Amino acid sequence: MSSPDIAGILDNSKELDRLRKEQEEVLTEINKMHKKLQATPEVVEKPGDNSLTKLKNLYAHAKQLSEDEVGVSNLLLSQLDTLLPSGPPGQPRRRIEGSDQKRKRVKNESDISRLSASMRSQLETFASLKGEQVAAKVNPGDGDKDEWFVVKVIHFDKEKKEFEVLDEEPGDDEESTDQRKYMVPMSSIIPFPKRNDPSSAPDFPPGRHVLAVYPGTTALYKATVVNGHRKRKTDEYLLEFDDDEEDGSLPQRTVPFYNVVALPEGHRQ
């Protein structure tokens, strides 16, 4: 068994463990929603309540994680089958040569096809982001707050499911003004809508919480939609950013639709 083979199995085992832990977190949130709805079923009839929408999104997330788990499990089985001897127990593994070696290479190259269709599509989408600007959480698991910035994608590693990104405009509080690179898991990346296609961007309704680039910066913060860009027939959202109080009130700021994305579940600010 070669080092690359072992590394691939270990990486996929870690990914499987991550998916299962995330599933447990989502199921915990689903159970909380169930208890809430059982205790106060009338809440769904209140104007502006989004409990059912949130529950639907949680179930969709759980379904996606389950499909991804099946995909990674199948990939692990394929990797192990490739490495195990094909003969009866105790029979020495024969040396693979000629056409057998070619078949082994083709089998390895087709591992990605064993992933679920949704996961393959997601990986291809992420791979196509090279050179694009995206929103990235550059401090996963660190600190009390989530810090999201606009970064440029340099490379996406399909095996490790990690992005190499470049912060082209470090903030004033950085020790160095040089551009900085980060390795970021794909769960901490959010692609922006295409600048040249407003119709493809999500239409966030008034009252919806979003994550948006604060005007004049490359940092993203939680904000509330005042007016959607489609209803105003413009390419901008009118937003109120949290903690942006001026003279006792929150100013309304315009932000291009391509700098506004959905607020991640469990965002801390």
Side-chain angles (χ1 to χ4, degrees), residues 185-208:
M186 66 182 193
S187 58
S188 295
I189 292 288
I190 304 178
F192 286 118
K194 299 296 183 182
R195 290 178 178 239
N196 58 356
D197 190 7
S199 64
S200 66
D203 188 14
F204 299 115
R208 177 67 59 84

Side-chain angles (χ1 to χ4, degrees), residues 214-225:
Y214 190 85
T217 75
T218 57
L220 290 89
Y221 299 97
K222 180 181 177 183
T224 303
V225 176

Side-chain angles (χ1 to χ4, degrees), residues 155-168:
H155 175 69
F156 175 60
D157 189 323
K158 287 185 179 180
E159 291 296 323
K160 294 182 178 181
K161 298 179 178 61
E162 283 187 339
F163 282 88
E164 182 181 6
V165 300
L166 177 68
D167 184 0
E168 299 178 284

Side-chain angles (χ1 to χ4, degrees), residues 17-33:
D17 186 56
R18 184 194 68 79
L19 287 169
R20 287 173 176 169
K21 287 180 180 178
E22 191 170 349
Q23 285 183 72
E24 292 175 0
E25 294 172 359
V26 173
L27 289 175
T28 298
E29 291 301 315
I30 289 176
N31 289 333
K32 288 180 181 178
M33 289 297 299

Side-chain angles (χ1 to χ4, degrees), residues 193-242:
K194 299 296 183 182
R195 290 178 178 239
N196 58 356
D197 190 7
S199 64
S200 66
D203 188 14
F204 299 115
R208 177 67 59 84
H209 295 310
V210 295
L211 197 65
V213 179
Y214 190 85
T217 75
T218 57
L220 290 89
Y221 299 97
K222 180 181 177 183
T224 303
V225 176
V226 178
N227 274 327
H229 76 281
R230 291 181 187 174
K231 290 185 178 180
R232 299 176 68 233
K233 297 182 179 179
T234 72
D235 292 342
E236 297 176 326
Y237 277 101
L238 194 61
L239 306 176
E240 290 181 348
F241 285 88
D242 286 16

